[in-house]
Amino acid sequence: MSDIEGVYEDLEADVSLEEFREAVEAKVDQMGGLADEETAAMLVAHEIGESEVGGVADIEPGMEEAKFVAKVLSIGDVRTFERDGEDEDGRVVNVEVADETGSVRAAFWDEHAEAATEELEEGQVLRIKGRPKEGFSGVEVSVDDVEPDPDTEIDVQVSDTHTVEALSLGLSNVNLVGLVLDTDSVRTFDRDDGSEGKVSNLVLGDETGRIRVTLWDEQADLATEFDPGETVEVIDGYVKERDGNLELHVGNRGAVEEVDEAVEYVPESTPIEELEIEQTVDIAGVVRSADPKRTFDRDDGSEGQVRNIRVQDATGDIRVALWGDKADIDVGPGDEVALGDVEIQDGWQDDLEASAGWQSTITVLESDSGTAGGESAADDPSNENAGLSAFAGDDESAGAETETSAASSDESDDAGGADAGAESDEPTDGEELEFTGVVVQAGDPVVLDDGESTMSVATDADVGLGEEVTARGIVRDGRLEANDVF
């Protein structure tokens, strides 16, 4: 056995002995006689081991080279561009490839681009070598070498339309049909280049799950055209990650259109009796009560709003604070609702409370709030899951991620900025005062809102967001130092 064969036997990589020999000979020539065959073989083995990845999910932007096997999911169109200082235009084709661990965009350049459009087919398995980099929609691989691999089987379905469950980071050219669960207002932001961008969100659900859809620029206004309960199709979206969750993004090359299809969305909710503080969970149930909406002033002069409802399932009930635009949702006693991504917090008298901010999704599954008198669905906690399927039915993000997050900050945090003191007839220092209002900030200090003014209260009492309480004490420096809170 030669030295080359001995090194090859220890090599755990999918490369033939003939290919390995050729690489060793090339390495010997490259070293100019400074390395014998055994040394060159070890160097080649090390290089192969560094670049060979276990699956698409292991590809990272910092790698010098990646070798992997994947199935072609989709083939894009050839795009031409001008290269600086060159007369001939460049060409590129983006090809979506995947294995069982995930998907990635492979960029085929120039002569490879022409070959990709003429020779590649969806469902074909390829052996790819290329340079990973960070692209607009996640990791991309700039292809250096590619060849068909008909002997390898990859269990990935090639489909024009995806489900929420089948989405993975880096996937592009995504078509997805889903039920509109929630919509968002359009927000503007300034890009790094000084231009103005627009962004909005939809939340879609299907039988496999739920996902937030971010609409950029020309597509942003679409969020105002759809209502919860309608069925839409996302066309040519791409998957990104934010705060540990996958999101489907739609830029200027994509679209969202209403379609006449039946989509079933059945939320997987956590029983209320199993909720724990600091969790972010989905819950579902029947609305037992709904308080009036309250407004409050923030330190920056803007106005916030909050509304409290109590939701019950078969295991218990919990108060839910609806912040910002969520407070405007038409929901009342008897309605069956699904609440996604709500934060569980410490509430009134050691009870838990749920907070629904901008990132939360509130879906009315079945409305019974118009029922007058008699027994409502809210009186039967076993009904909380009834009617869950009642519905039938690039670069544009560059420089905008942080702007989007800031523009969509959680209303429950903003409530902490409610102004202390009443807008008129402000109490004077030393005055005894009794003030009754709803808790819009449960921290230090507590802030109460009576619908017309707010009052900052210094107290050790354990109060919760949305509770109506009365504080009695002495006013000092515009703050009520409470002796009693009840």
Side-chain angles (χ1 to χ4, degrees):
M1 179 185 297
S2 68
D3 294 334
I4 294 178
E5 291 174 344
V7 175
Y8 176 79
E9 283 193 354
D10 295 331
L11 178 63
E12 296 182 1
D14 191 6
V15 59
S16 68
L17 176 58
E18 182 180 353
E19 291 173 320
F20 185 72
R21 285 185 183 277
E22 291 176 355
V24 171
E25 290 175 4
K27 179 64 68 175
V28 170
D29 292 340
Q30 178 186 349
M31 299 291 290
L34 297 177
D36 56 20
E37 283 192 344
E38 182 179 9
T39 302
M42 289 189 289
L43 290 173
V44 171
H46 176 74
E47 291 173 358
I48 293 175
E50 286 289 313
S51 61
E52 197 88 23
V53 297
V56 169
D58 296 330
I59 300 174
E60 298 178 357
M63 302 174 64
E64 291 186 4
E65 187 178 74
K67 297 179 181 178
F68 60 100
V69 180
K71 180 183 287 187
V72 176
L73 299 184
S74 64
I75 304 167
D77 298 325
V78 177
R79 290 189 290 126
T80 60
F81 57 93
E82 294 182 0
R83 284 196 171 97
D84 294 338
E86 296 186 20
D87 296 332
E88 186 177 352
D89 288 344
R91 290 161 295 163
V92 63
V93 171
N94 291 320
V95 177
E96 194 73 30
V97 299
D99 63 10
E100 292 86 352
T101 70
S103 63
V104 69
R105 175 178 290 179
F108 288 68
W109 301 90
D110 299 327
E111 67 274 7
H112 286 313
E114 184 175 347
T117 57
E118 295 177 354
E119 302 175 16
L120 294 187
E121 297 179 357
E122 293 183 359
Q124 186 177 14
V125 176
L126 303 176
R127 186 171 297 277
I128 299 171
K129 178 175 72 173
R131 291 162 286 118
K133 64 176 184 177
E134 188 67 44
F136 292 120
S137 57
V139 180
E140 297 180 357
V141 175
S142 184
V143 176
D144 293 324
D145 191 20
V146 61
E147 62 182 30
D149 189 352
D151 298 328
T152 299
E153 293 186 5
I154 294 180
D155 187 16
V156 174
Q157 184 177 0
V158 179
S159 173
D160 292 335
T161 303
H162 295 75
T163 62
V164 171
E165 185 179 52
L167 298 180
S168 59
L169 182 62
L171 197 64
S172 61
N173 303 318
V174 172
N175 294 347
L176 182 142
V177 176
L179 195 69
V180 178
L181 304 180
D182 199 2
T183 62
D184 191 12
S185 58
V186 179
R187 302 179 300 280
T188 60
F189 59 90
D190 294 325
R191 284 198 169 90
D192 293 340
D193 62 4
S195 63
E196 184 179 76
K198 294 195 298 183
V199 65
S200 64
N201 296 102
L202 295 172
V203 178
L204 300 184
D206 64 13
E207 63 276 6
T208 70
R210 181 184 71 247
I211 192 164
R212 182 175 298 276
V213 180
T214 300
L215 311 175
W216 296 98
D217 298 327
E218 294 178 11
Q219 311 302 331
D221 292 332
L222 292 173
T224 64
E225 299 180 9
F226 303 117
D227 295 316
E230 295 180 338
T231 303
V232 300
E233 181 178 14
V234 173
I235 301 170
D236 199 10
Y238 53 96
V239 181
K240 300 190 72 174
E241 183 178 6
R242 179 173 154 190
D243 297 332
N245 297 314
L246 295 182
E247 292 183 346
L248 184 58
H249 289 234
V250 181
N252 293 335
R253 294 192 298 270
V256 182
E257 301 174 353
E258 186 175 3
V259 294
D260 185 17
E261 293 189 32
V263 175
E264 182 181 34
Y265 170 65
V266 181
E268 295 184 6
S269 57
T270 301
I272 290 177
E273 69 173 359
E274 297 180 10
L275 298 179
E276 297 180 2
I277 193 170
E278 296 185 356
Q279 286 182 321
T280 299
V281 297
D282 297 351
I283 60 177
V286 178
V287 178
R288 293 302 304 264
S289 64
D291 296 340
K293 180 173 64 178
R294 300 279 186 173
T295 60
F296 56 89
D297 296 324
R298 299 190 184 95
D299 288 340
D300 62 5
S302 62
E303 186 176 74
Q305 59 183 25
V306 62
R307 184 183 182 214
N308 295 289
I309 62 175
R310 184 165 288 276
V311 177
Q312 175 180 322
D313 68 6
T315 68
D317 61 87
I318 189 170
R319 183 184 296 275
V320 183
L322 312 180
W323 297 95
D325 292 341
K326 307 299 182 189
D328 294 323
I329 295 176
D330 186 13
V331 61
D335 290 348
E336 295 180 15
V337 296
L339 302 100
D341 294 327
V342 294
E343 184 179 351
I344 307 304
Q345 301 174 345
D346 192 10
W348 173 253
Q349 295 181 337
D350 294 327
D351 286 341
L352 296 181
E353 294 182 351
S355 179
W358 73 269
Q359 81 285 5
S360 305
T361 302
I362 302 173
T363 306
V364 179
L365 301 169
E366 186 171 302
S367 180
D368 192 34
S369 55
T371 302
E375 182 176 313
S376 72
D379 295 318
D380 183 3
S382 65
N383 277 349
E384 77 279 4
N385 288 324
L388 293 180
S389 57
F391 288 122
D394 321 78
D395 54 351
E396 48 270 284
S397 63
E401 291 289 346
T402 56
E403 303 287 352
T404 307
S405 178
S408 323
S409 61
D410 195 333
E411 290 287 348
S412 64
D413 294 332
D414 288 340
D419 286 342
E423 294 182 2
S424 61
D425 300 327
E426 292 187 4
T428 58
D429 280 0
E431 177 184 349
E432 277 198 29
L433 180 68
E434 182 175 288
F435 190 95
T436 300
V438 173
V439 178
V440 295
Q441 175 176 311
D444 183 14
V446 171
V447 178
L448 304 181
D449 184 341
D450 67 358
E452 296 181 355
S453 61
T454 57
M455 173 58 67
S456 179
V457 180
T459 178
D460 294 329
D462 187 8
V463 299
L465 289 174
E467 292 294 332
E468 185 172 72
V469 300
T470 298
R472 182 188 298 142
I474 304 295
V475 177
R476 300 189 191 281
D477 296 326
R479 176 180 296 187
L480 179 59
E481 295 184 356
N483 298 320
D484 297 300
V485 175
F486 53 92

